[in-house]
Amino acid sequence: MMSDIARDFFISYTASDAAWAVWIAWQLEKADYRVLVQEWDFVPGVHWTATMEEGVSKARRTLVVLSEDYLHSVYGRLEWTTALRADQHGSERRLVPVQVAECRTPSMLTGIVWVDLMGATEDEARRRLLAGIEQAHSGRAKPSRTPIYPGIVPTRVGGQNVNPPTLPPSYPGPGGSMATSMVLFEGRDRFERATPLTKADPQIIGGYALRHRLSLGNACTVYLGEDGKGRKGAVKVPHRHLWKDARARLAREAQHGRAFRSVHVSAVLEADVNTSPPYLVTEFVHGPTLDEQILRRRLFGGPGLRHLAVNVLTAVGDLHRAGIVHGDLSPANVILSSSGPRLIDLGASRTSGDQQIWRPTGTAQLLAPEQWRDEPITEATDVFGWGCLIMYAATGRWPFAGGSELALRRAILADAPDLTGLDAIVRPLVRQALDRNPAARPTIGVLRTRLNPPLDVLTPRTPTTAKRIGRRTAVGMMAGLAGVSLSRDSVRVAPLPIVDQANAIATVADRLRDSDPDLAGRLDLAAYVTRPTPPARANLLRHARIATLRGHGGSVKGLAFHPLNGMLVSAGLDATVRLWDVRGQNFSAPVVAFTNVSPLFSAAFGPDGTLFFGDGDGFVTKVRDLRSVGRELPRFRAHDAESEVLRLRFSRNGRLLATSGSDGFAKIWDPADTRKPLRVFDHTVRTRHLRYVWGVTFCGEDRVLVTAGDCEDESTVKLWRLGDTDPGRHDPPMRIPDMFVSIGDVISNPVDDGVVAIVSGVLGGSNMVRRLRVSESVALDVRPETDFGSFAKLNHSAAFSPDGSMFATGNDNDHDARVRLWTLSDTSVSTPLFEQRRPVWATAFSPDGKLLAAGGDDLTVCLWGTDPALLRAALCASPSFATPSRGVWREYLPDVPYPGRCP
């Protein structure tokens, strides 16, 4: 319950905007306003629904954090409409909207004046927020100073650009530094992070036609450009009033980018600092920034954190071998691409030993003590930045705290770092990296050796002197400007560890995927043969397609493999069931096909091989003998008439069958006696409009049933204790407290059925897979395991491999792969499977886990082989996947030894 002290503001927001809500609440309380915000005030023991209701009704004003996600939130709509009804004319200013992202304005809000924080720097956002709040309190916006005279004023005499315009960066997005690349998500009908070009923007820069704005910063605008061959690049153009100073910075950045080659660092494609405007084009990297992942509360831990740490070290090590210090390892400068982390933006880079001239803005938490003291920077400066970055990735906090720049400077120069919550393996390395004495910090090579497996010990390197660095850099710059590459003999480069070699090959393959798919495929095989690292394994499985099964006249909604003989059944909206023998090589026609009365939505085999399939009229049909074509098959009514039987799932021991339907119910049956359900679960609580139970599964040794779907005009997941199958038992369910939207499916891990995976939409701001651990002892308990995946649209289906090592999803994405395959030992990378071109509704693994099937609106079923060893043998025998020539290899991978043919 709320305190008796009246609150000035109740902050209403959705999970994806939590970072904004906390920042706003902090600014208001610092200005002596009393605030109620869920992130701080909904602590253990508090009745959260009662507190929320009192917050809306008793706080003087409701401040809403406006974004598209918020306007789609059921709770959000309830809160802002309650405040609006209490003050329909706005005379008391009970509803104060604060816009933080582009969104469509509901008609009820069109007449309300709001505070706009979009595109503002932190200082500007703070000024706008507090000014708006003060105006809401006083009811007027009269300025405290005389307004500027709007008429003719004398011409200023003096230098050019005496009062240049202030161009704010996006906030609290990635950093605020001069980002060379930004993230571009392909959303429903538009590029979600990009903004359209304005009339003031150029249309063409160099050889690149500009398509969108990617970011607007203090010093430059970054555009998405496309050259004549359709290749994309991030085009950085300084603001006009900064052209003079920016020319030197861009020239240095271009020189540094051309002085080395690295598959871990975004490459420089084109630059001209003598034209107007000066510009720099770098490789465009797809994927979210590390900063965006952390803002979504997607922290790194275990193997994922070590994978990130090693990849960043490898990228920085490539820079250091060329004598370059990056100088700004901010989370905004790390892109989490499908092939692994990539480093961008050399705008703050220097050659080792250079005296610092300027400091990157917005990343003060990363500055090493020598940078605060204006001492020369060295490779050790990047080691300090790496330590700060890894701490942030693991915990969402910086190792040194400070509410102001002065306090932060004092903490970095005098205090010990706070490494609470950091992985025990990584913690001692980060502590050493954050030593105030640069000479005491470990080198990049030492750090990478200690994080890599024992077989991949890094070859010791001789420390590079400042003199040698300068000569190497000069040679690299001259070679880059002359348009020639450095040979391996011109500069001695220590060999990469075998793991890094494989990952480097995989990264180059990803970069060539669109422009030269044949060469990319050859490199996919070469990477896996070098070492089967997660990125190499993911890329190899891109070539796993075996066959496409055709014949359905409607969408394929159900797939199941026979548990004994491995044959595949598909069920579709054309009301047909087809049995395919996928054990051989002849997939042209089904072995058996029979027709149902109504469209089919689900299929499952019992442990004895009995087939069950559910239709669109609430019936489930049993087929004990698959040769029973033409006979009348037994069936039972599982759900209401005209209801779709959406899922069929068996318990681990095979003694129970669970069904879920579009009537809002899930039911448990004895497969041997289906005259009456053993238990009935009302998941939707008689929701008026949305009554689909999209997922159902058993877990906790068959003592818990999990249902997922629509409930009370939103989507939610519920857990039901089974105990026994007494039909009169009515144990209340446990409702998982997160707010899910548009849930697609829920499934348990066949090896560890305490873990369930939920595929859902707009969970914390993105579509993802969430793994939860369910325990059932005295009471039900749920703990989050890990989240992975980031999708533009909803996943309709999910499947675990029988050994629990792999996971597959079927998606509704128009611009990306419909099917994705993960190896659960490392979910930072995945395999996109592109054969399906329309939404995928069903996925299934074969009993031996060596086949993956997917079906959907394409009216087909696609098959992929998921055994990398078998796939490797097949590709090695194919001339199409022969290793590239030595000349091609040296062109793209000069620092990786030539592997030769498949062994």
Side-chain angles (χ1 to χ4, degrees):
M1 302 293 285
M2 280 181 59
S3 166
D4 292 333
I5 301 174
R7 306 291 183 116
D8 296 304
F9 291 96
F10 168 71
I11 299 184
S12 175
Y13 62 101
T14 192
S16 60
D17 299 320
W20 271 111
V22 169
W23 183 85
I24 290 170
W26 185 277
Q27 308 308 319
L28 295 183
E29 290 206 345
K30 192 173 181 181
D32 293 327
Y33 294 103
R34 291 179 293 273
V35 175
L36 176 69
V37 61
Q38 179 179 346
E39 203 78 0
W40 297 343
D41 297 301
F42 288 23
V43 295
V46 167
H47 194 299
W48 72 273
T49 53
T51 304
M52 186 174 291
E53 290 172 2
E54 288 199 15
V56 174
S57 60
K58 293 187 177 181
R60 292 191 176 95
R61 291 177 175 82
T62 297
L63 185 151
V64 301
V65 183
L66 269 186
S67 67
E68 192 69 29
D69 288 344
Y70 178 84
L71 294 176
H72 286 290
S73 165
V74 176
Y75 289 142
R77 182 177 180 82
L78 175 65
E79 290 161 9
W80 70 259
T81 53
T82 300
L84 188 61
R85 290 192 197 100
D87 183 25
Q88 296 184 18
H89 300 291
S91 57
E92 298 176 5
R93 301 167 300 287
R94 293 287 302 272
L95 178 64
V96 182
V98 177
Q99 187 176 13
V100 298
E102 287 283 353
C103 57
R104 295 183 294 273
T105 308
S107 57
M108 294 174 66
L109 281 177
T110 53
I112 305 294
V113 178
W114 56 45
V115 180
D116 183 7
L117 302 187
M118 290 177 53
T121 61
E122 183 171 8
D123 289 340
E124 177 62 12
R126 184 183 298 107
R127 186 194 65 77
R128 292 185 193 177
L129 174 68
L130 296 180
I133 295 305
E134 177 58 28
Q135 292 162 12
H137 264 285
S138 65
R140 297 194 74 192
K142 180 180 177 180
S144 58
R145 293 184 296 178
T146 303
I148 298 174
Y149 175 61
I152 299 174
V153 296
T155 303
R156 287 186 181 272
V157 178
Q160 190 179 14
N161 297 316
V162 174
N163 289 314
T166 301
L167 297 169
S170 56
Y171 178 83
S177 60
M178 294 174 58
T180 335
S181 299
M182 290 296 288
V183 184
L184 192 68
F185 292 111
E186 292 182 348
R188 296 180 178 87
D189 300 307
R190 60 191 175 88
F191 292 107
E192 293 182 352
R193 285 296 311 274
T195 57
L197 299 177
T198 68
K199 292 181 179 180
D201 289 321
Q203 299 298 310
I204 296 177
I205 292 289
Y208 287 79
L210 305 187
R211 303 303 185 195
H212 303 276
R213 277 189 179 192
L214 295 180
S215 68
L216 176 65
N218 281 328
C220 66
T221 303
V222 180
Y223 302 95
L224 175 66
E226 190 173 304
D227 68 6
K229 296 182 179 180
R231 294 174 296 193
K232 294 181 175 63
V235 184
K236 178 193 289 188
V237 180
H239 300 319
R240 186 180 184 89
H241 66 281
L242 299 175
W243 283 2
K244 182 177 179 181
D245 294 334
R247 293 184 195 276
R249 283 203 300 271
L250 289 180
R252 182 177 60 249
E253 184 175 354
Q255 288 176 337
H256 288 176
R258 288 166 171 161
F260 70 100
R261 287 188 177 191
S262 172
V263 295
H264 304 285
V265 183
S266 178
V268 173
L269 304 180
E270 184 178 318
D272 190 341
V273 300
N274 297 316
T275 187
S276 295
Y279 67 91
L280 173 75
V281 184
T282 57
E283 180 186 6
F284 177 74
V285 183
H286 287 274
T289 65
L290 175 60
D291 206 30
E292 288 169 328
Q293 296 293 81
I294 303 306
L295 288 176
R296 294 173 187 159
R297 300 296 187 267
R298 298 183 63 187
L299 304 178
F300 288 72
L305 179 65
R306 294 191 286 277
H307 176 76
L308 172 70
V310 169
N311 272 269
V312 174
L313 287 170
T314 302
V316 175
D318 291 343
L319 287 168
H320 289 183
R321 282 197 295 274
I324 298 168
V325 178
H326 188 278
D328 189 16
L329 295 179
S330 76
N333 288 338
V334 178
I335 301 288
L336 303 177
S337 73
S338 61
S339 59
R342 299 277 296 279
L343 192 60
I344 64 171
D345 195 355
L346 299 180
S349 63
R350 291 288 186 276
T351 54
S352 181
D354 257 0
Q355 187 71 33
Q356 181 179 340
I357 299 172
W358 68 289
R359 190 174 70 208
T361 61
T363 49
Q365 294 89 348
L366 291 157
L367 298 182
E370 59 267 27
Q371 290 176 286
W372 289 105
R373 293 190 292 256
D374 289 328
E375 297 172 355
I377 61 173
T378 64
E379 289 92 339
T381 304
D382 279 344
V383 172
F384 187 93
W386 173 85
C388 295
L389 181 77
I390 298 307
M391 175 63 186
Y392 182 74
T395 66
R397 296 181 290 101
W398 297 106
F400 300 97
S404 65
E405 185 170 307
L406 181 62
L408 184 61
R409 181 181 189 277
R410 186 184 302 114
I412 292 176
L413 293 178
D415 296 344
D418 179 6
L419 303 183
T420 304
L422 191 57
D423 183 290
I425 295 177
V426 178
R427 188 186 303 122
L429 301 181
V430 170
R431 188 178 301 281
Q432 294 171 29
L434 297 179
D435 196 293
R436 282 193 288 275
N437 179 8
R441 297 171 202 155
T443 65
I444 293 292
V446 169
L447 290 170
R448 193 167 59 180
T449 299
R450 294 178 63 183
L451 284 169
N452 267 333
L455 291 177
D456 300 319
V457 176
L458 184 67
T459 304
R461 293 195 182 98
T462 304
T464 313
T465 64
K467 182 177 180 180
R468 181 176 179 180
I469 287 173
R471 188 162 61 243
R472 166 73 186 264
T473 303
V475 172
M477 292 177 182
M478 291 170 64
L481 293 172
V484 299
S485 61
L486 292 169
S487 70
R488 290 184 57 84
D489 297 330
S490 62
V491 180
R492 298 177 66 87
V493 180
L496 291 172
I498 193 71
V499 165
D500 292 341
Q501 292 179 27
N503 290 342
I505 301 169
T507 302
V508 170
D510 282 333
R511 290 167 60 177
L512 294 171
R513 192 84 53 199
D514 294 332
S515 59
D516 194 340
D518 291 339
L519 178 55
R522 294 170 183 237
L523 293 176
D524 289 337
L525 178 58
Y528 187 83
V529 169
T530 300
R531 177 60 64 91
T533 63
R537 187 181 192 277
N539 280 358
L540 184 78
L541 290 172
R542 288 172 174 267
H543 309 282
R545 187 173 71 88
I546 294 178
T548 299
L549 313 181
R550 307 180 189 278
H552 277 284
S555 299
V556 178
K557 291 285 190 172
L559 289 173
F561 281 92
H562 195 289
L564 304 178
N565 61 31
M567 298 183 78
L568 174 67
V569 156
S570 58
L573 295 186
D574 58 354
T576 65
V577 175
R578 298 171 185 269
L579 180 67
W580 310 84
D581 187 354
V582 296
R583 299 166 298 180
Q585 298 299 319
N586 183 14
F587 306 124
S588 59
V591 177
V592 176
F594 49 93
T595 304
N596 191 56
V597 178
S598 59
L600 299 173
F601 289 84
S602 54
F605 279 105
D608 62 351
T610 301
L611 172 65
F612 292 74
F613 55 85
D615 64 25
D617 198 28
F619 283 100
V620 173
T621 301
K622 295 197 299 184
V623 185
R624 290 191 175 88
D625 186 351
L626 294 175
R627 296 168 295 182
S628 305
V629 180
R631 305 177 191 172
E632 184 176 353
L633 299 172
R635 63 178 187 165
F636 63 94
R637 177 167 292 287
H639 293 271
D640 293 348
E642 300 183 359
S643 294
E644 301 159 5
V645 181
L646 300 172
R647 301 287 180 196
L648 298 168
R649 294 268 162 79
F650 277 89
S651 60
R652 179 185 287 251
N653 59 21
R655 297 173 184 170
L656 298 175
L657 170 67
T659 65
S660 67
S662 60
D663 57 356
F665 290 94
K667 301 181 182 182
I668 294 180
W669 308 81
D670 178 353
D673 182 2
T674 55
R675 290 173 297 177
K676 185 178 180 181
L678 299 175
R679 293 281 298 274
V680 177
F681 305 93
D682 184 359
H683 176 89
T684 62
V685 196
R686 296 171 179 80
T687 301
R688 293 181 181 179
H689 306 296
L690 304 175
R691 305 200 65 188
Y692 288 82
V693 184
W694 290 106
V696 62
T697 193
F698 294 91
C699 68
E701 298 180 352
D702 299 340
R703 294 196 300 267
V704 178
L705 185 75
V706 184
T707 58
D710 305 314
C711 177
E712 298 172 352
D713 296 326
E714 66 171 4
S715 293
T716 192
V717 174
K718 293 183 178 182
L719 281 69
W720 312 76
R721 295 185 69 170
L722 299 183
D724 55 50
T725 54
D726 178 5
R729 182 168 180 157
H730 297 287
D731 288 344
M734 174 184 178
R735 181 169 175 167
I736 296 180
D738 289 283
M739 184 175 181
F740 300 89
V741 178
S742 303
I743 289 176
D745 198 3
V746 59
I747 190 168
S748 58
N749 189 320
V751 174
D752 182 0
D753 79 337
V755 173
V756 296
I758 302 161
V759 289
S760 69
V762 199
L763 177 60
S766 65
N767 301 331
M768 65 179 69
V769 179
R770 164 159 283 187
R771 285 188 291 183
L772 303 174
R773 178 165 293 280
V774 179
S775 60
E776 192 264 355
S777 51
V778 178
L780 279 174
D781 181 48
V782 177
R783 291 183 291 107
E785 286 272 306
T786 54
D787 298 342
F788 60 91
S790 181
F791 307 91
K793 289 195 176 181
L794 179 67
N795 286 301
H796 297 300
S797 65
F800 279 101
S801 62
D803 63 358
S805 66
M806 290 182 288
F807 188 79
T809 57
N811 196 264
D812 193 16
N813 192 355
D814 294 330
H815 304 287
D816 201 353
R818 303 286 184 180
V819 178
R820 279 195 175 267
L821 178 64
W822 279 269
T823 300
L824 292 178
S825 59
D826 187 343
T827 56
S828 63
V829 292
S830 63
T831 301
L833 302 172
F834 287 93
E835 281 71 20
Q836 295 277 359
R837 301 189 179 279
R838 301 186 66 193
V840 171
W841 293 95
T843 49
F845 282 94
S846 61
D848 60 4
K850 294 183 178 180
L851 287 179
L852 169 65
D857 288 351
D858 263 1
L859 317 186
T860 63
V861 177
C862 282
L863 287 176
W864 296 273
T866 56
D867 186 331
L870 293 176
L871 182 58
R872 168 186 163 158
L875 297 184
C876 281
S878 171
S880 300
F881 286 87
T883 307
S885 68
R886 290 182 180 273
V888 171
W889 192 271
R890 281 195 299 269
E891 179 182 357
Y892 290 102
L893 293 154
D895 294 329
V896 178
Y898 186 69
R901 299 180 59 83
C902 278

